[in-house]
Amino acid sequence: MFNFFKKLFGPGTDFKALQQQGAVIIDVRTPGEFSGGHIKGSINIPVDSIRSKINDIKKKGKPVITCCASGMRSGSATSILKEAGVEAYNGGSWISLQNKIAV
């Protein structure tokens, strides 16, 4: 059964390896949510502002991992970034992502 899902959704993303290779983590929640807790070193760019920040993000020249509270807003942000030519990955909820990249 697991192989069925793996074929359907593709192989999992190694977020820890991406981060170790310099990927930027962008938390797309509101500033209020971000101030309530976030991944150390992550950047807060609310999903509503992501389009206006694409050039700044591209200048970093690094892959991007997006996160939010549940994975919905980060999924939208990932799509926007990919459409703009940015290598982007949806990290899902920030708490889940934090657990995946913890040393």
Side-chain angles (χ1 to χ4, degrees):
M1 185 64 119
F2 178 72
N3 285 335
F4 168 77
F5 288 112
K6 194 170 185 178
K7 285 181 183 178
L8 183 63
F9 296 109
T13 302
D14 187 345
F15 294 107
K16 189 171 188 172
L18 278 170
Q19 185 195 33
Q20 289 171 343
Q21 295 167 10
V24 177
I25 298 174
I26 298 178
D27 190 318
V28 298
R29 296 176 296 151
T30 66
E33 289 174 294
F34 185 78
S35 68
H38 58 272
I39 296 172
K40 184 178 178 181
S42 63
I43 301 167
N44 183 220
I45 304 175
V47 69
D48 294 342
S49 303
I50 207 86
R51 286 187 198 279
S52 66
K53 300 291 186 181
I54 286 176
N55 286 335
D56 295 334
I57 294 166
K58 282 183 171 184
K59 285 177 187 173
K60 294 182 183 299
K62 298 182 179 195
V64 171
I65 303 170
T66 61
C67 63
C68 63
S70 68
M72 294 298 289
R73 288 176 282 181
S74 58
S76 295
T78 298
S79 294
I80 291 166
L81 291 168
K82 284 182 175 182
E83 286 173 13
V86 176
E87 181 182 350
Y89 302 88
N90 181 1
S93 80
W94 75 272
I95 294 173
S96 173
L97 179 58
Q98 183 170 260
N99 290 334
K100 291 175 185 173
I101 63 174
V103 177

